[in-house]
Amino acid sequence: MKNMTTCTQTTLPPRDNYMQAVRGLCIIAVVMIHIPPVSGVNISQQVINFAVAVFFFISGYFVKTETFSLKKRTLRTWLPYCLWTIFALLVYGISLRFLGGRKIDFDTYEIIKIIFFGGAAPQLYFLSVLLQLTLLTPFLIKLIQQDNRVVDFVCWAVTPVYVAIMYLYDYITGSRFPLYCALFPAWFGFYYAGMVVRERNITLRVGNVTLVALLLLTLYLSLAESQLLEARLPWMAVSQIKFSSMLYAAAVIALVLRNRDPQQPAGLLSRIGDYSFGIYLIHIYVLVLINKSVDSVFDNTILYPFLHSQSVRIVLVVAISYAIVSLLVKVVGEKAAKYLGLK
C-alpha cells in the first residue's frame, strides 16, 4: 500500500470512453480465447488470460455505492441470465435434433449446474458469478465503508484461499474442481478491488516503466507455471484461475488504472466496449456458424486457409457479433437492451 494514496471522492463523468475501450479490448481477448492459433496456443493463452478478471474488476469499479439498487442491478443480471439460458437450451435442442450434436446427461448435478451456474453454455458462468457478486454487493459496500484492516485482510484472502483449495483438489484427485470458475470466490478479489478503488478513490503512484516490468514478470511466471502444470493438470495450464495468471491480470489492471484518461474521446475500441456484454453472450454462436459455413462452403478451395486463420475468424466474429448486437439494440431500444443482456 506504500505506492497508493487515498484522495477525496470525485464524481465520474457520465461516459468513460477509456474504460469502455478497456472493455472492448477485453471482449476481443475473450474471442481470441475461443479461437486458439494453430501453434503457440499456450503462449497466446497466457497473454490474453487477463480478460475475465478485468471484466469483473470493471463491474466492481462501476458500482455506485451512493445510488446502488440491489433490485435493479439483480434484475439486469438475472433476467439476461434466464433468457440466454433458455436460448442456449433451445439451440442445444435444435442441434441435437437436426445436427446430431453431443447429448448431455441431465443428471442432478447437470441440472443444478444449468439452472444456477451457467451450465447451459460456456459463456454463461460469467452471468452466474456476476449475479452472486451482485447479491453480496450491499454487504460489501458496508464493509468497504468501514475501512477496517482486519475486514480488508479477510476479503483480500477470499480468492487466494479458494484458488489454493482448488489447486489442492486438482492435484489430489487429478480432476478439475467442480464449478471451479462458476463460484464467486474465484473472481471475488477482482470485483472487490474494483469497488475499493472506486469507493476510496485509490490512485497509483507507480511509474509506467515499473508497471510494464511487473506485467512482463507476471507474464513470464504465468508461462513458467503453465509449463509446470502441463503434464499433470493440463486444464490448469491454460486456465485464467491460477495464481500466476491472476497476478498477471492484476498487473494489467494496475497499468489500466495508471493510464486512465476520463476525457479520452470515443474510438473503435470504446464502441466495441459499448456492446461488449452482448458480444460476449452471442459470440460463441457466431463462431460456430462461421466455422460451419467456412467448412461447408469453402472447404477444398483456395480461400479456405485464409478464412480459417485465427486472425480472420477473430475479425469476423467480433464484426458480425457487433453488427447483430447493435441492430438488436436499435430494434428493442436502449432501455430494453440493458435487461436483455445486449448492453
Side-chain angles (χ1 to χ4, degrees):
M1 298 297 290
K2 292 181 179 179
N3 292 319
M4 294 185 179
T5 183
T6 304
C7 310
T8 305
Q9 180 75 33
T10 57
T11 303
L12 291 177
R15 176 180 170 80
D16 191 330
N17 289 314
Y18 179 85
M19 282 302 195
Q20 290 303 94
V22 173
R23 277 188 169 124
L25 180 63
C26 286
I27 193 58
I28 292 172
V30 168
V31 173
M32 291 176 67
I33 289 172
H34 296 137
I35 310 177
V38 177
S39 60
V41 176
N42 186 50
I43 295 175
S44 172
Q45 184 74 37
Q46 305 312 318
V47 171
I48 56 182
N49 261 353
F50 63 87
V52 176
V54 175
F55 268 134
F56 278 115
F57 174 85
I58 293 175
S59 295
Y61 184 80
F62 282 110
V63 170
K64 298 178 181 179
T65 57
E66 63 278 4
T67 59
F68 178 79
S69 169
L70 179 61
K71 181 179 178 181
K72 183 177 180 180
R73 184 117 174 181
T74 300
L75 188 61
R76 284 188 58 179
T77 308
W78 177 77
L79 188 57
Y81 178 78
C82 293
L83 292 174
W84 285 92
T85 296
I86 293 171
F87 179 78
L89 292 173
L90 288 173
V91 170
Y92 165 75
I94 293 171
S95 174
L96 188 64
R97 177 67 177 82
F98 298 103
L99 302 176
R102 180 180 65 88
K103 188 174 182 180
I104 298 175
D105 182 16
F106 286 99
D107 55 19
T108 303
Y109 170 76
E110 197 66 36
I111 292 172
I112 292 174
K113 183 179 175 182
I114 289 171
I115 295 175
F116 298 107
F117 300 105
Q123 73 275 27
L124 290 181
Y125 81 90
F126 180 87
L127 285 179
S128 173
V129 175
L130 189 58
L131 182 57
Q132 295 168 52
L133 292 169
T134 297
L135 295 175
L136 288 172
T137 299
F139 180 61
L140 294 178
I141 290 173
K142 293 180 180 179
L143 294 181
I144 292 170
Q145 290 176 341
Q146 288 180 13
D147 200 7
N148 183 292
R149 289 187 178 183
V150 175
V151 171
D152 282 349
F153 176 80
V154 172
C155 289
W156 289 122
V158 169
T159 294
V161 169
Y162 175 82
V163 175
I165 293 172
M166 189 183 71
Y167 272 73
L168 186 63
Y169 177 92
D170 286 14
Y171 187 81
I172 292 175
T173 65
S175 60
R176 179 177 287 177
F177 189 77
L179 303 172
Y180 76 108
C181 67
L183 299 175
F184 80 87
W187 307 103
F188 177 86
F190 296 102
Y191 185 82
Y192 180 74
M195 291 184 65
V196 168
V197 169
R198 169 68 181 269
E199 176 65 19
R200 298 177 185 170
N201 202 17
I202 295 174
T203 306
L204 288 178
R205 301 173 64 182
V206 184
N208 277 325
V209 173
T210 301
L211 290 176
V212 170
L214 182 63
L215 184 78
L216 294 175
L217 174 61
T218 52
L219 177 58
Y220 172 78
L221 291 174
S222 183
L223 289 166
E225 185 183 12
S226 68
Q227 291 295 323
L228 293 174
L229 292 170
E230 182 65 36
R232 184 175 176 87
L233 305 172
W235 58 89
M236 284 283 289
V238 296
S239 174
Q240 298 179 65
I241 308 177
K242 61 179 185 291
F243 283 123
S244 57
S245 289
M246 289 189 158
L247 290 173
Y248 173 61
V252 171
I253 290 169
L255 201 58
V256 165
L257 291 175
R258 178 65 179 81
N259 293 279
R260 178 174 173 267
D261 178 12
Q263 305 305 319
Q264 178 175 304
L268 178 61
L269 275 180
S270 64
R271 291 188 178 93
I272 294 173
D274 289 342
Y275 296 138
S276 58
F277 202 0
I279 294 172
Y280 177 83
L281 291 170
I282 204 173
H283 80 278
I284 290 290
Y285 306 108
V286 173
L287 175 59
V288 171
L289 289 175
I290 289 175
N291 287 342
K292 289 188 176 296
S293 298
V294 170
D295 289 343
S296 60
V297 177
F298 296 98
D299 192 22
N300 297 322
T301 69
I302 194 172
L303 290 175
Y304 184 81
F306 171 75
L307 293 173
H308 204 265
S309 66
Q310 182 196 32
S311 56
V312 171
R313 284 189 297 158
I314 289 170
V315 171
L316 286 174
V317 169
V318 173
I320 294 173
S321 298
Y322 177 89
I324 293 173
V325 173
S326 60
L327 178 62
L328 290 173
V329 170
K330 289 180 180 178
V331 171
V332 303
E334 294 279 339
K335 186 175 182 179
K338 294 178 180 179
Y339 291 92
L340 295 176
L342 298 175
K343 289 197 71 177

